[in-house]
Amino acid sequence: MDNLNKAYIKIPRSFTMDYEQIDSILNELAVIRNSDVHEIGLDFTYTNFFSAELSTFLGIIIQHLQSEGYELFARNLKIDSKVGRILSKNEFLKLIMDKDPIRDTYNSTIKYVKVNSENINSINSYLENNFIPKFESTVKTSGLNKELEESFKDSIFEFSDNISSHSHSKYLYMCGQYFYNNKELKMAIADMGITIPRNLREHHVLVGGVSDDEYIDWAMQKGNSTKGIPQSGMGLNEIKEAMKRLGHMTIVSNRGYWKQSYDGTIEKKLLSEPFPGTLLHMNILLNKSSDYENDILNIFENDDDLVF
Amino acid sequence: MNKKIIVKDIIESPLAVNTKQGKEVFEVIEKELGKQNVVDVDFSGLTTITTAFLNLSIGKLYSLDEPRELNKRVKILSDSLTVFQKQKIQRVMENAKIKISDEELNEG
């Protein structure tokens, strides 16, 4: 903090979905909210890499702070720098700066958007226009890309229905980025709702001192739900299973950080301070698609009838 | 009498993705079963189907009757589904069956 009215959140040097970086931002945010400031600067002084889909993470924080009456601004972010250009292209900077976006000539940037979680046509158009072409241009095997696209889209819609049903949040925030060199397609989708741990605590689904990361882990298991009807509890588990074929996934919700790597390893950690919503981050490894080509082809042999 | 219902026509969308749509389809099936019809459920033309939709449209059918009776009276047209979609329906059916038997055990 450099004067009584302003404080700064330091954006990490290389901002990715790693626990340490997410935690450091939330920590700085908590310090600021306990002080008596009115203006908060996002300090990009040392930032030389910003994984653009994390505009969703920062966007949720900005909108949360704005709703509490704080004024937000960017510090030391040059529009002609690498980070400045990418955040201008994806229109994230419109949240905190009055600048027209730069046009994306490489077609790798995916816009930061806010949509009503019940507006399925808008969500579908966003996915079809921005993400699906990346599958089609990268995964050349006929049939395989269709199956991967289906898994990806299903996951997003499972998440959006979960938001509508549980979180009391009307809107979804989404952003993405395609990393051409290593063929990674990243997406972050989030809400500003009640969060998974708080919802589960309210429903008393687990007893004792259960931590937020454990609550997320519970919600990811097949059949676990608070809906109170037998036909439920599959959505988050479906995403988890689909991501075993697609790449890495991370969920941040309140103080829980839960990550499933492509090799199936689960990492659960407690964040020092809460995130004001639930965020799903997907890192789709399109260059790994050939790994599961045989699995996909075997699926085609399933001729069983559907029996109740 | 056999009555074919086309899911896409009921929800007026190729995206079968939420619980509200699932409930709409369930109500149509329930109504036809009430008329003693055998219902053929056609999923053609759907590009995306989620478990959120299937739990309510198909999974909830287990609350109406025993599986043996459902097999006689509701036919899911497999040819109208992609392999992924078909697998998803199988998972939804399994989940509903497990949960219903858990509930019966708890009640018993």
Side-chain angles (χ1 to χ4, degrees):
Chain A
M1 275 171 254
D2 61 1
N3 68 40
L4 285 178
N5 290 320
K6 288 183 184 172
Y8 298 96
I9 296 173
K10 198 191 293 172
I11 308 302
R13 185 177 294 275
S14 173
F15 186 35
T16 62
M17 194 59 200
D18 289 345
Y19 170 82
E20 286 73 19
Q21 290 158 44
I22 297 294
D23 195 50
S24 99
I25 289 181
L26 293 173
N27 245 321
E28 295 203 25
L29 179 67
V31 172
I32 288 171
R33 293 179 70 187
N34 287 328
S35 65
D36 190 24
V37 298
H38 306 292
E39 293 179 54
I40 300 175
L42 300 173
D43 185 356
F44 289 88
T45 306
Y46 301 103
T47 313
N48 56 30
F49 177 78
F50 187 112
S51 199
E53 81 285 358
L54 293 181
S55 299
T56 306
F57 175 80
L58 222 46
I60 292 279
I61 288 176
I62 289 170
Q63 277 165 280
H64 186 66
L65 291 171
Q66 286 172 336
S67 72
E68 291 184 338
Y70 290 97
E71 281 186 35
L72 275 290
F73 63 97
R75 183 197 212 188
N76 288 338
L77 180 65
K78 294 190 179 80
I79 294 297
D80 59 355
S81 68
K82 199 171 90 179
V83 173
R85 276 200 308 273
I86 204 160
L87 295 183
S88 174
K89 283 181 194 171
N90 77 2
E91 302 190 8
F92 169 76
L93 285 187
K94 286 204 292 196
L95 286 177
I96 46 172
M97 287 173 118
D98 189 18
K99 296 256 185 201
D100 288 333
I102 300 172
R103 207 165 65 86
D104 175 23
T105 46
Y106 295 104
N107 201 25
S108 59
T109 306
I110 298 170
K111 276 182 198 165
Y112 172 68
V113 294
K114 172 186 178 181
V115 295
N116 188 314
S117 61
E118 290 182 5
N119 192 341
I120 58 175
N121 291 327
S122 284
I123 297 168
N124 191 53
S125 298
Y126 181 70
L127 301 179
E128 284 289 339
N129 295 333
N130 296 291
F131 292 88
I132 298 308
K134 306 292 188 286
F135 283 89
E136 286 168 358
S137 63
T138 312
V139 184
K140 300 294 183 192
T141 309
S142 174
L144 181 59
N145 57 12
K146 288 280 168 237
E147 304 302 338
L148 298 179
E149 287 163 26
E150 204 171 318
S151 290
F152 167 71
K153 278 180 68 175
D154 287 3
S155 297
I156 299 302
F157 279 109
E158 296 283 3
F159 187 80
S160 62
D161 185 73
N162 223 271
I163 299 291
S164 305
S165 306
H166 293 297
S167 85
H168 314 304
S169 171
K170 195 175 174 187
Y171 296 103
L172 282 170
Y173 301 81
M174 300 185 276
C175 192
Q177 178 70 23
Y178 180 54
F179 294 87
Y180 180 81
N181 287 341
N182 46 8
K183 305 281 184 280
E184 290 185 7
L185 180 60
K186 298 188 182 182
M187 184 194 195
I189 174 169
D191 74 336
M192 289 177 67
I194 189 171
T195 76
I196 295 168
R198 283 177 54 205
N199 180 44
L200 297 181
R201 245 178 224 117
E202 279 184 11
H203 284 85
H204 307 288
V205 296
L206 295 168
V207 288
V210 179
S211 60
D212 283 10
D213 52 327
E214 292 293 344
Y215 271 115
I216 299 174
D217 196 54
W218 184 89
M220 300 306 293
Q221 308 309 316
K222 191 175 178 180
N224 286 349
S225 171
T226 59
K227 276 184 185 156
I229 51 171
Q231 305 79 24
S232 62
M234 294 188 73
L236 291 175
N237 183 262
E238 284 286 312
I239 301 173
K240 181 179 168 226
E241 293 305 313
M243 285 307 295
K244 286 179 181 170
R245 294 186 295 273
L246 292 169
H248 312 298
M249 73 175 279
T250 308
I251 289 190
V252 170
S253 188
N254 207 47
R255 287 187 61 201
Y257 177 98
W258 186 99
K259 179 176 181 182
Q260 174 181 266
S261 298
Y262 182 57
D263 65 4
T265 314
I266 306 288
E267 180 185 352
K268 293 178 278 181
K269 286 185 173 173
L270 198 59
L271 294 158
S272 313
E273 300 295 334
F275 174 70
T278 297
L279 179 140
L280 164 66
H281 182 267
M282 305 162 102
N283 181 1
I284 298 161
L285 309 172
L286 290 173
N287 60 345
K288 298 271 189 191
S289 58
S290 55
D291 290 3
Y292 42 83
E293 191 170 342
N294 287 338
D295 292 346
I296 298 280
L297 295 175
N298 286 340
I299 287 170
F300 282 104
E301 292 166 12
N302 179 345
D303 289 328
D304 298 342
D305 279 334
L306 288 163
V307 179
F308 282 94
Chain B
M1 195 175 101
N2 274 56
K3 173 78 182 179
K4 184 172 177 174
I5 66 152
I6 300 170
V7 173
K8 190 182 168 189
D9 292 348
I10 296 168
I11 61 174
E12 297 177 335
S13 171
L15 306 165
V17 293
N18 61 37
T19 45
K20 190 177 153 213
Q21 295 171 316
K23 196 166 171 248
E24 282 172 16
V25 172
F26 172 80
E27 284 170 357
V28 172
I29 298 173
E30 187 183 31
K31 195 173 158 194
E32 293 302 331
L33 291 176
K35 293 179 194 166
Q36 305 306 315
N37 286 328
V38 172
V39 186
D40 293 330
V41 187
D42 186 331
F43 285 87
S44 16
L46 297 176
T47 56
T48 307
I49 306 178
T50 64
T51 61
F53 168 81
L54 292 170
N55 282 332
L56 266 292
S57 57
I58 302 299
K60 204 177 171 195
L61 294 174
Y62 287 92
S63 66
L64 297 180
D65 219 329
E66 295 293 323
R68 190 188 303 175
E69 285 305 308
L70 289 173
N71 282 324
K72 286 182 199 159
R73 304 188 58 203
V74 182
K75 309 281 180 200
I76 295 171
L77 303 179
S78 290
D79 292 349
S80 65
L81 292 155
T82 68
V83 180
F84 260 39
Q85 291 169 344
K86 195 173 151 189
Q87 286 198 321
K88 192 168 278 203
I89 294 180
Q90 282 169 332
R91 290 197 295 275
V92 165
M93 288 171 153
E94 286 304 314
N95 183 58
K97 273 191 270 196
I98 290 167
K99 286 207 155 186
I100 281 172
S101 52
D102 284 352
E103 279 205 336
E104 284 167 357
L105 278 176
N106 290 336
E107 284 165 9

